[in-house]
Amino acid sequence: MICQVGLARLEMAPRRSQFEILAQGISAGVAEPTIEKSTESEQELDLPWQVIVHNDPVNLMTYVTMVFQRVFGYPREKAERHMLEVHQQGRSIVWTGVRERAELYVQQLHGYLLLATLEKVN
């Protein structure tokens, strides 16, 4: 319970806004944030990246062909060519281009439960 004297002090004290309270907390010892430089240059991000699909013993060849058609929009013949390369050689480079799009394709292929990786072109 607040006594009368304490209540009178609260009423007489000047009111501070939330901004003033926040500013006081920041100036009272919170360190300034440091800005780190990016380790990747724009040139490194623009280098071609490869989407590689690896062979697995689970997925049917017809299923892999269908996934290539849906994800990349390949015609059946091209999708089958990549599927056979995966089956016979263990892997196939199914797409090459900028990193952001390559990451999207890898994520989509994982969504179809295919084993796919992303590699930078040397």
Side-chain angles (χ1 to χ4, degrees):
M1 191 171 213
I2 300 177
C3 69
Q4 294 294 334
V5 175
L7 186 57
R9 285 185 189 160
L10 283 175
E11 291 174 352
M12 293 174 61
R15 293 193 172 206
R16 298 186 311 172
S17 69
Q18 290 179 346
F19 177 76
E20 291 172 326
I21 294 169
L22 180 62
Q24 180 184 4
I26 290 174
S27 65
V30 177
E32 289 290 321
T34 57
I35 300 173
E36 297 178 6
K37 291 184 179 180
S38 175
T39 56
E40 297 176 320
S41 68
E42 287 184 31
Q43 188 177 22
E44 288 175 340
L45 293 175
D46 290 340
L47 288 175
W49 291 78
Q50 298 174 335
V51 175
I52 301 171
V53 176
H54 302 271
N55 194 24
D56 64 49
V58 178
N59 294 306
L60 298 173
M61 292 190 284
T62 53
Y63 176 74
V64 174
T65 301
M66 182 270 308
V67 170
F68 290 164
Q69 288 178 287
R70 285 193 181 169
V71 171
F72 300 106
Y74 289 164
R76 195 177 95 227
E77 296 76 25
K78 184 173 183 177
E80 286 177 346
R81 209 171 37 245
H82 281 289
M83 175 274 299
L84 286 173
E85 187 176 350
V86 170
H87 181 69
Q88 294 168 352
Q89 298 178 11
R91 62 183 259 162
S92 178
I93 299 169
V94 292
W95 189 84
T96 302
V98 295
R99 182 177 180 173
E100 188 173 346
R101 171 76 55 98
E103 288 174 346
L104 174 67
Y105 283 144
V106 169
Q107 185 178 17
Q108 288 176 331
L109 292 167
H110 288 170
Y112 284 101
L113 303 178
L114 295 184
L115 180 57
T117 57
L118 177 68
E119 290 182 7
K120 190 185 320 185
V121 176
N122 294 330

